[in-house]
Amino acid sequence: MLQSNAASPSSGQEFRRGARDIVPIVIATIPFGLVFGTAASHAQMTMTDSVLLSAMTFAGASQFAALEFWAHPLPVGTILVSVSAVNLRMALYGAAIGRRMQDWSPLARYLGLGLLTDPIVALAELNGGSRLRMAYYFGLAVPLYVNWIATTVLGFIAGSLITNPEVVGLDFMVTAYFIHLLAGFRGRPSAGATILTSLAGSLAAYALLGPPWHIITGAVLGIATAAATVGTPEAKT
Amino acid sequence: MRVGGHIILSRFGRLHPRVEAGLEAVPAAVIAALVAPIALASTAEMLAGAVTVLAALRFSVLPTLLIGALAVAALRAIGW
């Protein structure tokens, strides 16, 4: 910053910048990793099961859905479709953010996409710049991933340490974080219309079809709204 | 799944402006769809959600999270 014509920041600096940006989310995720570990210990999973689920899925909603099925044996196909539908958005995310990883090596790109989560997508969108730096991205992803596995283990060991996260509102932290992210999108072209359509579509699908269909319904309607309003006078504010 | 979406879309090269705008809107649209059901969950979560929206427009992330968690805890404590 001080040297006007200095080269772009080093990889180490970019990694640390990512790690700094992710700190609030790591903190906000701790209760969820703990609660997931605790819930897994109550769902007749072994610790190895729960750690493997966290390491390979790395997606809270899918993992909580998987826990529900664990106690009630169902055909594997049914479980896979349901758990995937919960996080169907990851395919959309992968498509959106993969476009900004074109100058990464294929291995780094696929590894990076494997670590994609909601807050990482949002932070990479807001702070990554036009070219998404690999070091910044992994600075975001690695601490969150390590934290997720570590808190799964701790939660499993503690078992019943956090039996009632509702009492202190811990379970509301991710919702509050999502609301914070939504507030950050204001000012973008057609962000208001996108968000309102998505909210309405999600609520309607939640009431009519039940979860997890509200996620993909709201998302698709919101995205369609953004696509439909681009280039129109309303969108150019 | 995360990789699959990328592989399919990367086959297309240049994107139509509408597709571009749609892709840009993905995070906002999906996050809105994720949080919407709190309006149907309980009175406590609905009101705490409204409080959190106001907090998010004013404060940075950590105060917003704290205000949201405290609001829902307080509303539940009084039985809402």
Side-chain angles (χ1 to χ4, degrees), chain A residues 63-125:
Chain A
Q63 290 177 220
F64 278 102
L67 282 187
E68 297 221 357
F69 298 127
W70 206 260
H72 315 282
L74 288 168
V76 171
T78 310
I79 297 177
L80 277 180
V81 168
S82 310
V83 170
S84 301
V86 171
N87 277 308
L88 198 51
R89 65 185 186 282
M90 288 302 159
L92 303 176
Y93 284 170
I97 208 162
R99 295 179 305 142
R100 298 167 66 215
M101 299 175 172
Q102 297 299 343
D103 53 347
W104 299 16
S105 74
L107 180 66
R109 201 183 315 147
Y110 297 141
L111 207 62
L113 287 171
L115 294 175
L116 210 57
T117 59
D118 301 284
I120 290 174
V121 170
L123 281 170
E125 285 277 318

Side-chain angles (χ1 to χ4, degrees), chain B residues 12-29:
Chain B
F12 288 97
R14 275 183 69 100
L15 293 168
H16 188 278
R18 289 199 191 281
V19 178
E20 191 91 32
L23 287 178
E24 304 246 316
V26 168

Side-chain angles (χ1 to χ4, degrees), chain A residues 15-222:
Chain A
F15 187 91
R16 282 192 297 278
R17 186 166 71 89
R20 265 199 312 275
D21 284 354
I22 203 73
V23 164
I25 296 95
V26 168
I27 293 168
T29 318
I30 287 171
F32 290 88
L34 291 174
V35 170
F36 173 74
T38 305
S41 74
H42 294 305
Q44 291 134 21
M45 272 194 174
T46 66
M47 200 201 296
T48 313
D49 290 336
S50 66
V51 170
L52 278 177
L53 192 57
S54 278
M56 293 167 65
T57 316
F58 190 37
S62 287
Q63 290 177 220
F64 278 102
L67 282 187
E68 297 221 357
F69 298 127
W70 206 260
H72 315 282
L74 288 168
V76 171
T78 310
I79 297 177
L80 277 180
V81 168
S82 310
V83 170
S84 301
V86 171
N87 277 308
L88 198 51
R89 65 185 186 282
M90 288 302 159
L92 303 176
Y93 284 170
I97 208 162
R99 295 179 305 142
R100 298 167 66 215
M101 299 175 172
Q102 297 299 343
D103 53 347
W104 299 16
S105 74
L107 180 66
R109 201 183 315 147
Y110 297 141
L111 207 62
L113 287 171
L115 294 175
L116 210 57
T117 59
D118 301 284
I120 290 174
V121 170
L123 281 170
E125 285 277 318
L126 293 172
N127 302 316
S130 58
R131 278 238 164 272
L132 184 55
R133 287 283 301 264
M134 192 168 79
Y136 178 74
Y137 183 90
F138 281 101
L140 292 175
V142 170
L144 199 59
Y145 185 72
V146 170
N147 172 67
W148 185 241
I149 293 169
T151 51
T152 299
V153 172
L154 284 177
F156 197 98
I157 293 170
S160 53
L161 196 66
I162 302 180
T163 45
N164 259 331
E166 296 87 6
V167 172
V168 281
L170 281 182
D171 59 315
F172 197 72
M173 298 262 279
V174 161
T175 300
Y177 182 70
F178 285 149
I179 291 173
H180 160 77
L181 290 179
L182 284 178
F185 288 117
R186 71 184 183 277
R188 286 197 176 192
S190 47
T194 300
I195 290 169
L196 287 178
T197 319
S198 174
L199 288 173
S202 170
L203 283 176
Y206 194 90
L208 297 174
L209 304 171
W213 298 108
H214 63 292
I215 300 174
I216 196 72
T217 307
V220 166
L221 289 176

